[in-house]
């Protein structure tokens, strides 16, 4: 199907995932998404086989679509109390 | 240097000039950038970071650079474009870009 994604495309996808993670209002899912994208991209750092690279890239793309939808869903049910981790102590 | 009193969020008492033409960033900005880079790359606190330090020389790969740019965006409340972020290779470049974006934001 699509040819192997270039380095800048991969980095752009990485950035989009991290940006989407920032839009979550819930602390837990936000931190999880950031952690998971960083872990996922680092895990596949040394993959050199083009078809594996393309497979991992499309996998990440579908995860990005899921995350974007979930940002909207989560924003419908924002709890009144913030997570204790988000309370900054002076 | 003209002392102009305007409030910028997060920078309480600084002397800055509206007419400065040179592209050097404030030392506080450079300092914050260095701290974020050190934290991201897990460098020891005593390691010397000059404004000319290249991220790649400090052991950062491209993923680290993206993460550093993200942390800087959050820290300074700015938004970096795709093309600009690909050109950031040293601490000084990051600080200059931050200054430019913060200034643009406060003028908007």
């Amino acid at each position: 199907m699509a040819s192997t994604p270039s380095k800048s495309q991969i980095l752009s996808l990485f950035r989009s995932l991290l940006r989407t993670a920032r839009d979550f209002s819930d602390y837990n899912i936000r931190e999880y998404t950031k952690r998971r994208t960083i872990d996922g991209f680092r895990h596949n750092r040394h993959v050199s086989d083009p078809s594996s690279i393309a497979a991992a890239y499309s996998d990440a793309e579908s995860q990005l679509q899921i995350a974007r939808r979930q940002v909207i869903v989560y924003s419908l049910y924002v709890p009144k109390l913030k997570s204790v981790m988000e309370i900054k102590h002076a | 240097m003209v002392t102009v009193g305007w409030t910028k969020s997060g920078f309480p008492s600084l002397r800055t000039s509206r007419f400065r033409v040179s592209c050097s960033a404030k030392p506080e900005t450079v300092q914050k950038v260095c701290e974020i880079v050190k934290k991201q790359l897990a460098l020891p606190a005593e390691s010397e970071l000059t404004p000319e330090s290249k991220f790649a020389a400090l052991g950062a790969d491209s993923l680290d650079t993206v993460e550093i740019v993200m942390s800087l965006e959050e820290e300074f409340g700015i938004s970096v474009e795709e093309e600009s972020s690909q050109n950031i290779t040293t601490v000084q470049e990051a600080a200059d870009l931050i200054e430019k974006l913060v200034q643009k934001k406060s003028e908007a």
Side-chain angles (χ1 to χ4, degrees):
Chain A
M1 297 256 279
S3 57
T4 320
S6 71
K7 175 167 168 167
S8 58
Q9 275 179 294
I10 295 173
L11 292 179
S12 175
L13 184 61
F14 186 52
R15 201 191 323 273
S16 306
L17 274 161
L18 290 179
R19 280 194 204 275
T20 308
R22 278 204 303 221
D23 292 338
F24 277 107
S25 46
D26 178 69
Y27 171 84
N28 290 318
I29 185 67
R30 182 171 69 229
E31 291 298 311
Y32 167 73
T33 310
K34 277 200 300 197
R35 216 169 39 231
R36 184 67 185 91
T37 58
I38 293 172
D39 287 350
F41 274 82
R42 285 204 184 276
H43 186 259
N44 290 330
R45 255 188 78 182
H46 300 292
V47 171
S48 48
D49 172 37
S51 59
S52 311
I53 295 179
Y57 184 81
S58 60
D59 191 31
E61 267 183 321
S62 52
Q63 292 299 313
L64 175 61
Q65 297 312 312
I66 294 174
R68 283 190 174 146
R69 283 198 296 272
Q70 288 305 309
V71 167
I72 299 172
V73 171
Y74 267 82
S75 69
L76 297 172
Y77 300 102
V78 180
K80 286 203 199 59
L81 295 175
K82 285 201 163 294
S83 157
V84 67
M85 302 292 290
E86 290 184 309
I87 303 172
K88 292 198 200 334
H89 294 284
Chain B
M1 272 240 276
V2 176
T3 307
V4 178
W6 75 56
T7 48
K8 261 199 221 169
S9 59
F11 296 89
S13 54
L14 291 175
R15 255 180 276 140
T16 164
S17 162
R18 211 191 265 271
F19 304 108
R20 184 186 294 174
V21 188
S22 71
C23 50
S24 60
K26 288 196 274 284
E28 293 82 6
T29 311
V30 174
Q31 186 57 36
K32 273 199 187 183
V33 173
C34 286
E35 272 165 32
I36 287 175
V37 171
K38 274 194 219 175
K39 197 168 78 163
Q40 174 62 37
L41 303 177
L43 301 170
E46 310 83 39
S47 52
E48 280 298 313
L49 236 62
T50 73
E52 283 74 36
S53 314
K54 278 185 161 292
F55 295 147
L58 298 165
D61 64 356
S62 49
L63 293 180
D64 282 318
T65 310
V66 175
E67 285 183 54
I68 289 172
V69 171
M70 285 279 133
S71 307
L72 294 173
E73 279 190 16
E74 280 176 47
E75 174 73 25
F76 291 97
I78 51 176
S79 195
V80 179
E81 320 248 315
E82 289 285 330
E83 314 86 41
S84 322
S85 68
Q86 269 155 22
N87 295 337
I88 300 179
T89 51
T90 73
V91 172
Q92 187 64 47
E93 283 176 20
D96 291 342
L97 183 64
I98 290 167
E99 296 264 313
K100 207 168 66 174
L101 290 170
V102 168
Q103 196 162 30
K104 231 180 356 185
K105 199 177 78 155
S106 62
E107 282 169 13

